[in-house]
Amino acid sequence: MKYNGGWGRAVIRLGALLLLAFGCVCMAGELLGKWRTPARQEEDRTNGQAVEVTADGNYIKWVEFHVTNEAMAAAYDLDVDSYREEIHLNWIELLAYVGAKTGGKFDKNSVRRIEEVAEKLKSGDTMAELTKDMEYYDYYLEAYTAVLGGMMGEFALDGKHVYGLKAFSPIAKGFDYSHYDDFGSSRSYGYARPHLGHDMMGQIGTPIIAVESGYVEALGWNQYGGWRIGIRSFDKKRYYYYAHLRQNYPYAEGLAEGSVVTAGDVIGYMGHTGYSTTENVNNIKTVHLHWGLQLIFDESQKEGNNEIWVDCYELSKFLYKNRCEVEKVGDSREWRRAVPMTDPSAETYRKKTETVVR
């Protein structure tokens, strides 16, 4: 056979281009392994790769929380309205059903889907029967429970027994703020990174409220967040991060690491501290609260590249329905909640810690 030099060279060049392209794909894969796009994260999750097998067992390694305010409100109302009924609907189960049905996507039809499954449950069907063919229902149930698990239940408000929402908006009632969905937007101070929280713009000194009951795990200065507070839920699944608190007077009086707080307590005051290695500096241009919600299924996820932060925009809209009323403490700079609340989970934790200390 006669050798065709031109054809041979073309084959060699094509092979080289294919190798180069393969190398680029591999490099991109390495990069995306650390910072995956939302589309890739969704693909991984729906392919069952949101659960990682470790030496200690299985735990969720990624959650995208796209539940809308309208869906949460509809599921919440069904839960509360059926509290004393023979069939008590669970709002997280309703949301998990829709999440498993739609791949985690919530839209204008989500409320209708919630109402439809609620009717089936009221008619005698069980959630186990309705979800037996849903491969990822258990995943969504665990993921959504991690986000919402401490936000609803029994508590006492001004001595009166109540069942319902026991989580609060992080901004006190009567104080104006503005916000938009800024989760994932770019940040450049220190190093390029996505914004893994939710900013709520307001006035200096606006009382900041504990969203959920828990204990103070972190308190003090951070060069990125300025004066900040980190509060862990009692089940340790959620870590609430409140940042950029007021210069000179950032925290509620008496707050310290280890303090137990009840949902609705005033924990600090809005400011614009941060972006400095020097403490107590206002280097943030806009006065606002940055609050974030980190999910922790395994302690290895608490810090590092495996952290899971969820978009809190829709959750902030949902919590607007429960804003804590506050009152000024004399002529001081302090504010406190106007109506006392007793959360059984906080009381149980206090008793447990007191027993350990004794």
Side-chain angles (χ1 to χ4, degrees):
M1 176 182 283
K2 186 177 179 180
Y3 173 73
N4 188 324
W7 174 253
R9 285 191 296 273
V11 171
I12 292 171
R13 283 197 298 271
L14 179 60
L17 287 172
L18 288 172
L19 286 173
L20 178 61
F22 180 76
C24 291
V25 169
C26 290
M27 184 178 294
E30 287 296 316
L31 292 172
L32 291 174
K34 183 176 181 181
W35 293 111
R36 294 172 295 162
T37 64
R40 175 63 184 276
Q41 292 159 1
E42 181 73 13
E43 178 185 344
D44 285 352
R45 180 188 49 67
T46 54
N47 285 337
Q49 296 176 28
V51 177
E52 180 178 20
V53 179
T54 69
D56 299 322
N58 296 334
Y59 64 87
I60 292 176
K61 66 177 181 178
W62 192 261
V63 173
E64 286 191 335
F65 187 70
H66 297 308
V67 183
T68 61
N69 164 44
E70 292 78 10
M72 282 185 274
Y76 166 82
D77 288 341
L78 286 164
D79 189 318
V80 172
D81 291 344
S82 63
Y83 177 58
R84 298 291 186 186
E85 302 296 324
E86 182 179 351
I87 298 175
H88 178 203
L89 302 172
N90 181 299
W91 74 311
I92 300 178
E93 290 182 356
L94 296 174
L95 294 172
Y97 175 89
V98 175
K101 193 96 172 168
T102 64
K105 297 176 182 178
F106 284 73
D107 55 25
K108 62 182 180 181
N109 296 313
S110 298
V111 171
R112 175 178 55 79
R113 292 190 178 102
I114 289 169
E115 292 171 345
E116 287 175 351
V117 70
E119 286 303 316
K120 291 178 181 178
L121 292 169
K122 290 178 182 178
S123 298
D125 290 340
T126 67
M127 190 60 80
E129 292 169 343
L130 295 173
T131 61
K132 64 180 180 180
D133 296 323
M134 291 184 179
E135 186 176 359
Y136 297 111
Y137 172 75
D138 290 341
Y139 163 78
Y140 281 103
L141 181 60
E142 184 175 356
Y144 290 175
T145 299
V147 178
L148 304 170
M151 296 190 178
M152 194 162 179
E154 296 180 343
F155 57 97
L157 199 60
D158 202 17
K160 181 180 178 182
H161 181 270
V162 180
Y163 175 82
L165 190 61
K166 60 175 184 175
F168 291 83
S169 166
I171 304 295
K173 185 177 182 179
F175 291 83
D176 293 333
Y177 67 88
S178 61
H179 68 147
Y180 60 94
D181 194 351
D182 55 349
F183 187 81
S185 59
S186 62
R187 291 291 185 270
S188 59
Y189 174 78
Y191 62 97
R193 65 198 191 282
H195 185 233
L196 299 178
H198 183 59
D199 289 345
M200 304 176 81
M201 282 64 74
Q203 298 297 315
I204 290 177
T206 295
I208 303 305
I209 302 300
V211 172
E212 182 186 344
S213 300
Y215 58 93
V216 178
E217 192 170 76
L219 189 80
W221 183 263
N222 176 287
Q223 68 166 308
Y224 301 102
W227 294 122
R228 92 298 189 216
I229 304 170
I231 296 178
R232 192 78 169 263
S233 62
F234 297 126
D235 65 3
K236 297 194 173 184
K237 292 290 188 182
R238 290 167 296 286
Y239 178 76
Y240 294 90
Y241 181 71
Y242 309 83
H244 309 311
L245 303 181
R246 182 171 59 185
Q247 187 182 48
N248 299 322
Y249 203 99
Y251 308 124
E253 185 176 350
L255 197 72
E257 285 191 22
S259 295
V260 176
V261 297
T262 299
D265 285 352
V266 176
I267 56 174
Y269 303 95
M270 186 183 292
H272 55 123
T273 58
Y275 283 17
S276 175
T277 55
T278 302
E279 289 190 3
N280 206 33
V281 172
N282 285 329
N283 267 354
I284 305 292
K285 292 181 180 180
T286 304
V287 176
H288 71 281
L289 168 71
H290 166 109
W291 83 280
L293 175 55
Q294 181 186 8
L295 304 184
I296 303 165
F297 299 93
D298 184 89
E299 283 302 313
S300 65
Q301 298 173 309
K302 181 61 175 66
E303 296 180 0
N305 294 330
N306 298 319
E307 296 175 8
I308 302 174
W309 295 88
V310 297
D311 189 339
C312 294
Y313 177 61
E314 292 293 330
L315 188 55
S316 294
K317 289 163 63 177
F318 173 70
L319 292 173
Y320 182 85
K321 70 192 300 174
N322 206 28
R323 300 182 70 188
C324 192
E325 185 177 352
V326 296
E327 58 187 14
K328 199 85 181 319
V329 180
D331 295 328
S332 71
R333 303 172 73 182
E334 280 286 305
W335 292 79
R336 65 188 173 200
R337 69 188 310 153
V339 181
M341 172 178 163
T342 302
D343 183 352
S345 63
E347 297 307 306
T348 299
Y349 184 83
R350 283 193 181 97
K351 291 177 182 178
K352 183 177 70 173
T353 53
E354 287 174 1
T355 301
V356 171
V357 171
R358 289 174 185 171

